[in-house]
Amino acid sequence: MAEVRLERITKQYGQHKVVDEVNLDVADGEFLVLLGPSGCGKTTTLRMIAGLATPTSGRVRIGGTDVTATPVRRRNIGMIFQDYALFPHMTVGENIAFGLTERRQSRKQVEARVRELLELIRLPGYEARYPEQLSGGQQQRVALARALAYSPALLLMDEPLGALDLKLREAMQIELHRLQRELRVTTILVTHDQEEAMSLADRIAIMAEGHVQQVGAPEELYRSPANAFVAQFIGKVNLLPGTLTALSNGVASVRLQDGSVVNAAVNTLVREPLAIDAPARVSVRPERLRLARGGAGGRIAGTVQRRRFLGNIVHYFVRAPWGQVLLVEHGAGGEPFAPGADVTLDWKAEDAQLFGGSDF
């Protein structure tokens, strides 16, 4: 195992910086997920860690050693990609053993390690099968065993579950989490799937436009996002546009577009400058909004546009006076609010957060 440190790494193609001076530390044995939309620079960052791409500037350190110019074969890393890249003409056992035989381990050592890994991935007795005889989930587990065969210091994965259907992907997330916890190998995984990131990661690094926007545990990112992009990318959120009218003791007052004034907490992680009479946005998670029938004295009046029943919860889509449709997550009990019903929305100031008017 090994810690990873990225020191102002940049990757530039022509005038375009795909990754722009990223600093990031990954602890020994940690499971870190690089999360972000397509084109944000997360895969390029992973490739620079792997040695598959050379940084334009900056340093990559693994286990305290500068490996920026070290060839990929000498970095002692395991890699898994979305297509698994299993050799179709080799058996499961031969696929897993490939890295070991390349390192000229004895036949006895190789056979013992293959049996050990097949037990670990819960496929004992599958060594004589070929990849085409396996399901997608089984192929993914074999690819994982092959990557782990020579006990790499670092495991890198790029969208490893992207080709699986939803049920199988969820099952493999559980397996992957179990294996990483059991082996405690330092792991970095790239995905654009926020639910996958939150179910697997010790910490998540959210990227956008070549920059790391925020790094933290899933709960921290959900409850205290550093900017509006993070708030929108982790979970569902309502962003209410308005104008900042007052700041006092960590609480902001914002005048919304219909003239109503609402309160929100000021998060110290937010780096945006906040100024009175400047554009601002109030961020409220759907489950923090309280829904009442019209005339109940809420902060915002609205009209129910749609009701979506999801079993234990119900989603209501409520149109605000300025035309924005807000998502409210409500318990399934009680009398439902029918489409067309006039309602009011309310929340506690500590359950809302203030952001500036920019995207980040």
Side-chain angles (χ1 to χ4, degrees):
M1 296 190 292
E3 70 277 5
V4 177
R5 170 166 288 185
L6 307 182
E7 300 174 352
R8 301 181 67 180
I9 62 167
T10 296
K11 186 62 178 178
Q12 186 168 340
Y13 296 99
Q15 297 300 311
H16 179 53
K17 290 184 178 179
V18 180
V19 176
D20 191 1
E21 294 198 356
V22 164
N23 293 293
L24 187 63
D25 289 324
V26 186
D28 188 19
E30 183 178 21
F31 198 136
L32 181 110
V33 173
L34 295 175
L35 175 66
S38 297
C40 70
K42 58 187 185 295
T43 292
T44 301
T45 300
L46 192 80
R47 288 175 60 82
M48 286 190 285
I49 297 170
L52 298 173
T54 302
T56 304
S57 61
R59 296 291 174 192
V60 177
R61 300 184 188 276
I62 299 177
T65 302
D66 185 345
V67 298
T68 310
T70 303
V72 59
R73 65 182 181 276
R74 293 176 53 197
R75 295 195 185 196
N76 191 24
I77 58 175
M79 291 183 286
I80 305 174
F81 301 97
Q82 184 172 340
D83 61 3
Y84 313 141
L86 296 177
F87 301 117
H89 62 287
M90 291 184 180
T91 64
V92 166
E94 290 167 341
N95 266 283
I96 295 173
F98 181 78
L100 300 172
T101 54
E102 286 288 302
R103 287 165 174 77
R104 300 187 178 182
Q105 293 195 13
S106 70
R107 181 175 177 179
K108 186 176 181 179
Q109 288 175 313
V110 171
E111 290 176 350
R113 182 61 172 160
V114 168
R115 286 195 300 270
E116 177 187 356
L117 286 164
L118 285 171
E119 289 287 345
L120 185 68
I121 64 172
R122 298 179 181 176
L123 290 176
Y126 276 62
E127 52 263 71
R129 301 194 186 188
Y130 285 88
E132 65 179 12
Q133 298 173 298
L134 305 179
S135 68
Q138 290 170 336
Q139 289 183 43
Q140 198 272 348
R141 279 185 274 173
V142 172
L144 179 59
R146 185 177 64 181
L148 295 170
Y150 48 89
S151 301
L154 175 64
L155 179 63
L156 305 177
M157 296 184 280
D158 190 1
E159 303 276 5
L161 309 180
L164 305 179
D165 62 49
L166 178 61
K167 291 284 187 183
L168 188 52
R169 188 162 67 245
E170 290 175 346
M172 287 309 306
Q173 287 170 8
I174 294 171
E175 282 296 295
L176 189 53
H177 187 270
R178 175 187 69 83
L179 286 167
Q180 199 277 336
R181 285 293 182 272
E182 188 170 330
L183 297 171
R184 296 308 302 176
V185 60
T186 307
T187 302
I188 303 175
L189 179 145
V190 161
T191 184
H192 64 274
D193 186 326
Q194 58 161 291
E195 291 186 9
E196 182 171 291
M198 295 180 77
S199 68
L200 289 172
D202 295 319
R203 290 189 305 149
I204 300 171
I206 298 184
M207 295 189 68
E209 298 182 359
H211 298 271
V212 172
Q213 301 297 316
Q214 188 175 0
V215 183
E219 295 89 347
E220 177 187 350
L221 298 181
Y222 187 82
R223 293 172 183 164
S224 299
N227 57 43
F229 177 85
V230 175
Q232 291 176 296
F233 209 83
I234 292 287
K236 299 178 177 65
V237 72
N238 298 293
L239 290 173
L240 316 180
T243 302
L244 180 63
T245 59
L247 280 171
S248 178
N249 297 321
V251 177
S253 296
V254 177
R255 184 174 61 251
L256 301 180
Q257 293 181 358
D258 66 338
S260 58
V261 177
V262 300
N263 294 328
V266 178
N267 182 356
T268 57
L269 293 175
V270 176
R271 297 183 294 272
E272 298 172 286
L274 302 171
I276 303 301
D277 294 329
R281 287 177 289 181
V282 175
S283 165
V284 192
R285 297 289 184 186
E287 70 273 15
R288 297 299 183 182
L289 286 170
R290 297 194 295 266
L291 193 61
R293 302 196 182 278
R299 296 172 188 264
I300 301 176
T303 304
V304 175
Q305 299 292 296
R306 181 186 169 204
R307 175 181 180 271
R308 183 169 65 180
F309 179 73
L310 298 173
N312 61 327
I313 59 171
V314 179
H315 282 170
Y316 289 98
F317 299 86
V318 179
R319 184 176 295 279
W322 57 90
Q324 182 179 359
V325 176
L326 308 178
L327 174 63
V328 182
E329 192 171 284
H330 199 275
E335 184 180 352
F337 297 84
D342 291 327
V343 294
T344 55
L345 301 177
D346 203 353
W347 64 85
K348 297 178 181 178
E350 61 265 30
D351 290 336
Q353 184 172 330
L354 179 70
F355 294 117
S358 64
D359 288 336
F360 293 103

